[in-house]
Amino acid sequence: DAGVIQSPRHEVTEMGQEVTLRCKPISGHDYLFWYRQTMMRGLELLIYFNNNVPIDDSGMPEDRFSAKMPNASFSTLKIQPSEPRDSAVYFCASSQGPYQHYSNTGELFFGEGSRLTVL
Amino acid sequence: QKEVEQNSGPLSVPEGAIASLNCTYSDRGSQSFFWYRQYSGKSPELIMFIYSNGDKEDGRFTAQLNKASQYVSLLIRDSQPSDSATYLCAVKSNYQLIWGAGTKLIIKP
């Protein structure tokens, strides 16, 4: 399998612009996660989906952030308008459920990340 | 607030020695525990998971869990320069995966 595929790998944009990050999970995985990683805050869960349905979006920082999963093989994370404090590496990860069950290994397969710089 | 604490390091260990990485967690009800390795500029990858008290060995890696003391550790035997990375501890607590900030490990040749 090709693994989790993210695009773009790098994005440099100006404050106020719209940013769209894309993710293709591993085929057959029914959970998809969006994380943000910074030096200051570490790895933060933004939102996760189960079978294309958003389950927990409590980590989304504010209304400027939105995420969709129109089908099992594609998800987007959109920031509009972007701000310098949004600069981070955004990771998409997928896993095979049942994520909620304690016995599940919980292994997340991460994409290579999208490094966002907002000037 | 559920927390997972790790020493940020860097932890410097000579090649061939044992590297010991520690993690403490606040939620006593936590059920499963994971160690991810992240090389600089790369994404995290799972190297070990453990559910039960005691030790779990996989090659040069040993995970140790003590639920009474609420800590989990990772031992790396015969450390190699290729083990130099940041090690992230993650704890599954009430269906959430709570991440530590990571410990940077440097193996010196």
Side-chain angles (χ1 to χ4, degrees):
Chain A
D1 205 323
V4 176
I5 299 173
Q6 291 187 247
S7 65
R9 292 293 313 280
H10 301 274
E11 176 89 9
V12 180
T13 190
E14 293 189 346
M15 183 174 64
Q17 297 297 305
E18 178 178 297
V19 174
T20 298
L21 307 178
R22 298 172 178 81
C23 175
K24 176 179 167 55
I26 293 172
S27 177
H29 282 190
D30 50 357
Y31 286 84
L32 183 139
F33 305 81
W34 282 102
Y35 280 92
R36 177 172 68 177
Q37 188 175 41
T38 61
M39 289 293 293
M40 289 296 293
R41 300 175 67 89
L43 201 59
E44 301 174 278
L45 177 65
L46 300 177
I47 185 171
Y48 80 92
F49 296 83
N50 175 217
N51 292 325
N52 315 338
V53 177
I55 302 300
D56 184 356
D57 66 354
S58 60
M60 297 286 261
E62 48 198 276
D63 292 346
R64 297 185 298 107
F65 286 69
S66 62
K68 294 182 180 179
M69 192 166 185
N71 57 62
S73 59
F74 184 66
S75 178
T76 59
L77 178 69
K78 186 175 293 187
I79 308 172
Q80 166 64 16
S82 58
E83 297 183 2
R85 59 192 169 123
D86 301 330
S87 297
V89 179
Y90 290 81
F91 287 106
C92 176
S94 69
S95 73
Q96 197 163 30
Y99 178 73
Q100 289 96 336
H101 197 280
Y102 81 94
S103 66
N104 179 265
T105 64
E107 181 172 11
L108 303 185
F109 293 83
F110 285 81
E112 294 184 312
S114 295
R115 182 174 294 275
L116 173 64
T117 302
V118 183
L119 303 175
Chain B
Q1 178 97 9
K2 298 170 185 173
E3 294 182 341
V4 175
E5 300 286 343
Q6 294 183 259
N7 188 319
S8 61
L11 174 66
S12 184
V13 174
E15 183 177 357
I18 296 175
S20 178
L21 303 162
N22 299 311
C23 170
T24 60
Y25 58 94
S26 62
D27 183 4
R28 191 171 285 277
S30 299
Q31 301 149 332
S32 43
F33 309 85
F34 308 88
W35 285 99
Y36 280 75
R37 178 178 62 200
Q38 186 175 23
Y39 291 115
S40 180
K42 301 296 185 181
S43 58
E45 57 179 342
L46 181 68
I47 52 172
M48 290 285 290
F49 65 91
I50 187 167
Y51 305 136
S52 305
N53 274 327
D55 295 0
K56 179 181 179 182
E57 187 174 316
D58 184 1
R60 295 187 297 112
F61 297 94
T62 299
Q64 299 176 318
L65 174 61
N66 184 323
K67 289 187 177 180
S69 300
Q70 295 176 241
Y71 82 79
V72 56
S73 61
L74 179 70
L75 302 179
I76 307 175
R77 290 182 300 281
D78 188 24
S79 298
Q80 303 296 310
S82 60
D83 295 325
S84 297
T86 296
Y87 289 79
L88 300 168
C89 173
V91 175
K92 187 177 280 187
S93 174
N94 197 25
Y95 313 139
Q96 296 180 352
L97 200 58
I98 312 298
W99 295 83
T103 298
K104 184 172 184 178
L105 176 65
I106 299 172
I107 306 300
K108 292 191 171 182

